Amino acid sequence: MASCPLPILESGDPRLELTLHNSVRNVFVTQSDVRHEQKEKVKYIPVVKESSSRVLEAGVNTLQRTLLLKKKAELDQVDEQLSRKRDEFTSRMEDLANKRSELKLKQQQNRETVMKFEKFVADNEAKRNRALKKYEAAQEENISKQSEIEELTEELKLLKIRQQVLKEKIGKYKIYEDYLLKTLDYFPSSYLDHGSQPSVMSIIRRHEALSVTNRELRKRLGHAEEEVEQGSQQLQSMKREHNVKKLMGIKELSELQSELDSLKEENKQMEDKLLMQHGLSRDKVEEVGRLLMGINNLAEQCYLTAHGPLQNMTVLSMMDMVKEYVTDKSETEKRARRLMELESAETSRTAPTEKKRESIKNNSNKQIRS
């Protein structure tokens, strides 16, 4: 640290003057004892015998040293304050670093908490979807079972009615069966094998064969009903899977549609941004579009076959074609006007001659009449 410059003292400065005061007071003679006792308390000032220049030089040196010591003390105080401030800054930086690390740790914990919460929400959503699917499947299965129960109930009613009819028939034909059985008891045992009426045994065997066939057919019918039931269950499961896949497809389609809408919106925003960057606005673009549409309409109205097909022409070629068409029309109009002017001039020239001819004819007619 640079030392401060010492102040410049002028020759007329009162601080350089040396003033001596007589510290001994005037006392009476009768106060000698008191004066003698007060001599011990008096401060004696030495008599200056040096010249004024030397005294001035000594005073200046003493003042410079005093100022230097004062500045040095101030410098030490400033250094001490600077060291305290440095220590305080270091402690604050350490506290700040600790707080920053704690903040990063809290942010990491918050991120982990958010990730866990999002995972929890996703799991709950998946569970809810699975439960909803199970509920829908159970509801559909209940509906199918309810319809099946209704069908079976109707079938059971029909079977009970049939059973009742058969019971009535059995009760009706029971007497005939008892009669035939009693009649058979009176026949000999060899009659059934070698009797005169073998048609009874054939009927019995036929009945046994038909009963066996009936049982087999019933078994087949039961297997077929089981297969039909399994097929209907498979069909219901396939329908449920189809409905689930359909719902998933609709969901994916809606998500893709939303993504498409968002992409369209972003594309529109990017187009607007690009147009703003190039210094264009939507009104100018629309105006350019209307201008291009007008050019296309003029090109369709002023089409010339010499320029080729209209679809392959550029805007400049269309404008050249329109310009050529307009110039051709203007030249044709100019020619027509010239012809009309020439015709009017000729008619104006021929008008006096015709008047003369008419006057001559009139005169001749008057002479003839006279």
Short mmCIF file of all heavy atoms in Angstrom, two decimals, residues 20-28 35-36 38-39 41-45:
data_model
loop_
_atom_site.label_atom_id
_atom_site.label_comp_id
_atom_site.label_asym_id
_atom_site.label_seq_id
_atom_site.Cartn_x
_atom_site.Cartn_y
_atom_site.Cartn_z
N LEU A 20 6.93 30.12 24.85
CA LEU A 20 7.35 29.72 26.19
C LEU A 20 6.51 30.50 27.20
O LEU A 20 6.30 31.71 27.06
CB LEU A 20 8.83 30.03 26.41
CG LEU A 20 9.80 29.28 25.47
CD1 LEU A 20 11.22 29.72 25.73
CD2 LEU A 20 9.68 27.79 25.66
N HIS A 21 6.03 29.80 28.20
CA HIS A 21 5.23 30.41 29.25
C HIS A 21 5.95 30.21 30.57
O HIS A 21 6.51 29.12 30.83
CB HIS A 21 3.83 29.77 29.31
CG HIS A 21 3.03 29.95 28.04
ND1 HIS A 21 2.39 31.14 27.74
CD2 HIS A 21 2.83 29.11 27.00
CE1 HIS A 21 1.78 31.02 26.59
NE2 HIS A 21 2.04 29.79 26.09
N ASN A 22 5.89 31.23 31.40
CA ASN A 22 6.48 31.15 32.74
C ASN A 22 5.44 30.55 33.65
O ASN A 22 4.39 31.13 33.89
CB ASN A 22 6.88 32.56 33.24
CG ASN A 22 7.69 32.49 34.54
OD1 ASN A 22 8.04 31.39 34.98
ND2 ASN A 22 7.97 33.62 35.13
N SER A 23 5.73 29.35 34.12
CA SER A 23 4.76 28.63 34.93
C SER A 23 4.83 28.99 36.41
O SER A 23 4.00 28.55 37.17
CB SER A 23 4.97 27.12 34.77
OG SER A 23 6.26 26.77 35.20
N VAL A 24 5.82 29.82 36.81
CA VAL A 24 5.96 30.21 38.24
C VAL A 24 5.07 31.41 38.50
O VAL A 24 5.15 32.42 37.79
CB VAL A 24 7.41 30.54 38.58
CG1 VAL A 24 7.53 30.90 40.04
CG2 VAL A 24 8.29 29.35 38.25
N ARG A 25 4.18 31.26 39.44
CA ARG A 25 3.29 32.37 39.76
C ARG A 25 3.95 33.32 40.78
O ARG A 25 4.89 32.94 41.50
CB ARG A 25 1.98 31.82 40.35
CG ARG A 25 1.16 31.00 39.34
CD ARG A 25 -0.10 30.50 39.99
NE ARG A 25 0.23 29.59 41.07
CZ ARG A 25 -0.69 29.10 41.91
NH1 ARG A 25 -1.95 29.50 41.79
NH2 ARG A 25 -0.32 28.28 42.89
N ASN A 26 3.47 34.53 40.84
CA ASN A 26 3.95 35.51 41.85
C ASN A 26 3.39 35.15 43.21
O ASN A 26 2.19 34.96 43.37
CB ASN A 26 3.52 36.94 41.48
CG ASN A 26 4.18 37.37 40.15
OD1 ASN A 26 5.34 37.01 39.93
ND2 ASN A 26 3.47 38.11 39.35
N VAL A 27 4.23 35.09 44.19
CA VAL A 27 3.82 34.75 45.56
C VAL A 27 4.37 35.79 46.52
O VAL A 27 5.33 36.51 46.21
CB VAL A 27 4.32 33.33 45.93
CG1 VAL A 27 3.65 32.28 45.06
CG2 VAL A 27 5.82 33.24 45.77
N PHE A 28 3.76 35.87 47.66
CA PHE A 28 4.25 36.79 48.70
C PHE A 28 5.40 36.15 49.45
O PHE A 28 5.64 34.94 49.39
CB PHE A 28 3.11 37.13 49.67
CG PHE A 28 2.01 37.92 49.02
CD1 PHE A 28 0.85 37.31 48.59
CD2 PHE A 28 2.18 39.29 48.83
CE1 PHE A 28 -0.15 38.06 48.00
CE2 PHE A 28 1.17 40.02 48.25
CZ PHE A 28 0.01 39.42 47.83
N ARG A 35 5.42 27.92 48.70
CA ARG A 35 6.11 27.90 47.41
C ARG A 35 7.12 26.81 47.38
O ARG A 35 7.33 26.16 46.35
CB ARG A 35 6.75 29.28 47.19
CG ARG A 35 7.39 29.43 45.83
CD ARG A 35 7.97 30.80 45.69
NE ARG A 35 8.95 31.04 46.71
CZ ARG A 35 9.57 32.22 46.92
NH1 ARG A 35 9.23 33.28 46.17
NH2 ARG A 35 10.45 32.37 47.87
N HIS A 36 7.80 26.58 48.52
CA HIS A 36 8.79 25.52 48.56
C HIS A 36 8.13 24.16 48.40
O HIS A 36 8.69 23.25 47.77
CB HIS A 36 9.55 25.60 49.90
CG HIS A 36 10.62 24.53 49.98
ND1 HIS A 36 11.77 24.57 49.22
CD2 HIS A 36 10.68 23.41 50.74
CE1 HIS A 36 12.52 23.53 49.50
NE2 HIS A 36 11.87 22.77 50.43
N GLN A 38 5.35 23.70 46.71
CA GLN A 38 4.81 23.59 45.35
C GLN A 38 5.86 23.44 44.29
O GLN A 38 5.55 23.22 43.14
CB GLN A 38 3.96 24.83 45.03
CG GLN A 38 2.66 24.88 45.83
CD GLN A 38 1.86 26.13 45.51
OE1 GLN A 38 2.35 27.00 44.77
NE2 GLN A 38 0.68 26.22 46.10
N LYS A 39 7.14 23.60 44.66
CA LYS A 39 8.19 23.47 43.65
C LYS A 39 8.26 22.04 43.09
O LYS A 39 8.67 21.83 41.97
CB LYS A 39 9.54 23.87 44.25
CG LYS A 39 9.73 25.36 44.41
CD LYS A 39 11.10 25.67 44.96
CE LYS A 39 11.32 27.18 45.13
NZ LYS A 39 12.67 27.52 45.69
N LYS A 41 5.79 20.20 42.40
CA LYS A 41 4.72 19.97 41.42
C LYS A 41 4.89 20.79 40.17
O LYS A 41 4.15 20.62 39.22
CB LYS A 41 3.37 20.30 42.04
CG LYS A 41 3.04 19.42 43.24
CD LYS A 41 1.69 19.82 43.81
CE LYS A 41 1.37 18.98 45.03
NZ LYS A 41 0.06 19.35 45.60
N VAL A 42 5.86 21.68 40.09
CA VAL A 42 6.04 22.54 38.92
C VAL A 42 6.81 21.79 37.86
O VAL A 42 7.80 21.11 38.15
CB VAL A 42 6.79 23.84 39.30
CG1 VAL A 42 7.06 24.67 38.05
CG2 VAL A 42 5.92 24.65 40.25
N LYS A 43 6.33 21.88 36.58
CA LYS A 43 7.03 21.29 35.43
C LYS A 43 7.87 22.36 34.79
O LYS A 43 7.37 23.38 34.34
CB LYS A 43 6.01 20.76 34.43
CG LYS A 43 5.23 19.57 34.96
CD LYS A 43 4.27 19.06 33.92
CE LYS A 43 3.48 17.88 34.43
NZ LYS A 43 2.53 17.39 33.43
N TYR A 44 9.14 22.10 34.73
CA TYR A 44 10.08 23.06 34.17
C TYR A 44 10.21 22.82 32.68
O TYR A 44 10.30 21.68 32.22
CB TYR A 44 11.44 22.92 34.85
CG TYR A 44 11.41 23.27 36.31
CD1 TYR A 44 11.28 22.29 37.29
CD2 TYR A 44 11.48 24.61 36.69
CE1 TYR A 44 11.24 22.63 38.61
CE2 TYR A 44 11.44 24.94 38.04
CZ TYR A 44 11.32 23.96 38.99
OH TYR A 44 11.28 24.28 40.31
N ILE A 45 10.23 23.91 31.93
CA ILE A 45 10.40 23.87 30.46
C ILE A 45 11.82 24.27 30.17
O ILE A 45 12.29 25.33 30.60
CB ILE A 45 9.42 24.82 29.76
CG1 ILE A 45 7.97 24.37 30.06
CG2 ILE A 45 9.65 24.84 28.26
CD1 ILE A 45 6.94 25.34 29.56
#
